[in-house]
Amino acid sequence: MTDLPAALPASLADPVPGPGAAAAGPSRTRPRPTASLPAVRRSWFGVGFGTGLGAVLAWMLVRTVLRMSELLTLLLLAVFIAVSLEPVVAWLCRRGLRRGPAVAAVAAGLAGVLAAFVALVIPPVSAAITALTDDVPRWRSQLHDHRTTLGRLEEHYHVIEKVRRQLGSGGGASEVAGGVLGAGQLVISAVASTAIVVTVTLYVMVALPAIKRFCYRFVPGTRRARAESVSEEILSRVGRYMLGNVVTSAIAGAATLVWCEATGVPYPAALGFLVALMDMVPVVGSTVGGVAVSLVAVSVSVPVALATAAFAVTFRVAEDYLIMPRAMKFAVDVHPVVTVVAVLVGGSLLGIVGGLVAIPAAVALGIVLDEYVFPRTDRA
């Protein structure tokens, strides 16, 4: 017999388990070692290229959003108007109207309100233009009469000569033409923005139920019912906010009407309507309305104009810090301090539109905190 090798592999040196090995104990077979995979190392070039590409894409996205900021603001305003008018549309639908005719009825009502405002404003504006046209020859004669105030001003400052010199040179004519073109572009931009807001508002009002169903599908089915209830509560609060805003604007218009009647300022109905419409625009609306009423009051006397300006400032302060916070607390259950701070922050961020949507945004944030955040922190 040949001798066996002195050293055998471990797999051959271990005895082969027989039929009774399972009862005797576990197998002594050693597991085979697995081959380790080599570690994947990323190069500095790949890391830098990915980081730079992400930064470039983020920069392009920010630039695109900034370029579209005006359009996005108009879309936000249209959606807010549609959501604010939803309670009226829903009320008409509950009375038996289909959604399309209900939206048409609401749009017709708003158009009627604007038509009434225009009908009140056109007579005083046309009368003022006619009076200005009739007074131009008288002013020209006074400019050449050195015994009048305008004549003495002309003799001292030589206004007519300076105007002729400016218009005679190319700079004056180009500046006038540039001003006319700028005013025309401003009018065209305002008309286009109004058309965009009106069109998008009507489409959103008609398709709002379908839009809500589409958005709810992004929520998992187990949490969809709760998300729907929270969203409906937010939309209801937004509608009540708009109702409160209409009430405060009506109070401002009525107060202006009473003041104009008491002080003899002409066209009190038109001015009250103007103040009520402008007051619906937060931050600057009531200020613009007060300035307009004060300018009209100059036709009565300067003391009446100063008293009207003081009345407008006093009412603006009372409205911002007394009337509107209390009305908003009753309508949407928001603390007055939150109302004032939300309007100031929204106006500083997005201007008029930001001030308009600031209180609904604060309401939505409060509802989300009450429903999702505060319960978790209380349990913790």
Side-chain angles (χ1 to χ4, degrees):
M1 278 179 77
T2 58
D3 295 334
L4 292 174
L8 293 176
S11 60
L12 297 179
D14 292 338
V16 179
S27 174
R28 296 174 57 190
T29 305
R30 299 178 182 177
R32 294 182 179 180
T34 57
S36 60
L37 297 176
V40 178
R41 299 181 61 183
R42 299 182 63 182
S43 63
W44 287 106
F45 175 78
V47 174
F49 180 78
T51 304
L53 181 62
V56 170
L57 292 177
W59 177 72
M60 293 178 62
L61 178 62
V62 171
R63 283 181 57 88
T64 303
V65 172
L66 291 178
R67 289 181 179 179
M68 296 177 60
S69 60
E70 184 176 356
L71 178 60
L72 294 177
T73 303
L74 295 177
L75 295 180
L76 176 62
L77 178 61
V79 172
F80 174 75
I81 295 174
V83 172
S84 301
L85 296 175
E86 176 61 19
V88 183
V89 177
W91 181 80
L92 292 176
C93 291
R94 289 194 298 268
R95 294 299 182 272
L97 285 178
R98 291 184 298 176
R99 188 163 188 88
V103 172
V106 173
L110 293 177
V113 171
L114 293 178
F117 171 70
V118 172
L120 288 174
V121 170
I122 284 179
V125 172
S126 61
I129 293 175
T130 303
L132 180 64
T133 305
D134 295 338
D135 287 339
V136 168
R138 181 170 58 85
W139 292 345
R140 291 182 60 184
S141 62
Q142 289 180 359
L143 284 173
H144 296 285
D145 188 359
H146 300 298
R147 293 173 299 179
T148 61
T149 303
L150 290 179
R152 288 193 292 269
L153 291 175
E154 164 60 22
E155 184 181 7
H156 187 272
Y157 294 103
H158 305 287
V159 178
I160 297 178
E161 183 181 354
K162 292 180 180 179
V163 171
R164 287 177 179 175
R165 190 182 303 116
Q166 287 292 331
L167 292 178
S169 61
S174 62
E175 289 179 1
V176 172
V180 172
L181 291 177
Q185 292 178 356
L186 182 62
V187 171
I188 294 174
S189 176
V191 172
S193 300
T194 303
I196 291 173
V197 171
V198 171
T199 304
V200 176
T201 300
L202 292 177
Y203 274 111
V204 173
M205 289 174 65
V206 173
L208 187 58
I211 294 174
K212 291 193 294 185
R213 289 194 299 268
F214 175 77
C215 294
Y216 290 152
R217 294 187 64 182
F218 289 95
V219 182
T222 56
R223 293 179 289 179
R224 189 171 300 170
R226 187 180 181 186
E228 289 181 3
S229 64
V230 172
S231 301
E232 293 299 330
E233 178 65 21
I234 292 175
L235 296 179
S236 176
R237 296 278 187 93
V238 172
R240 294 205 296 268
Y241 159 74
M242 198 63 185
L243 178 61
N245 198 5
V246 170
V247 170
T248 56
S249 300
I251 294 174
T256 303
L257 174 63
V258 172
W259 174 265
C260 293
E261 289 285 357
T263 56
V265 178
Y267 314 110
L271 293 177
F273 210 135
L274 173 65
V275 170
L277 287 180
M278 296 303 300
D279 192 76
M280 297 184 67
V281 180
V283 182
V284 298
S286 58
T287 302
V288 173
V291 170
V293 177
S294 301
L295 291 177
V296 175
V298 175
S299 62
V300 180
S301 65
V302 175
V304 172
L306 295 177
T308 303
F311 164 78
V313 172
T314 304
F315 188 85
R316 167 69 187 272
V317 173
E319 181 185 11
D320 289 345
Y321 295 98
L322 294 177
I323 300 175
M324 178 171 284
R326 295 179 183 275
M328 291 301 107
K329 181 173 178 58
F330 175 76
V332 295
D333 194 18
V334 179
H335 197 275
V337 176
V338 177
T339 301
V340 175
V341 173
V343 170
L344 294 177
V345 173
S348 62
L349 292 178
L350 294 177
I352 297 176
V353 179
L356 190 63
V357 303
I359 297 178
V363 172
L365 179 61
I367 293 175
V368 171
L369 291 177
D370 291 338
E371 291 291 331
Y372 294 100
V373 178
F374 293 154
R376 295 181 180 179
T377 56
D378 292 340
R379 288 196 301 267

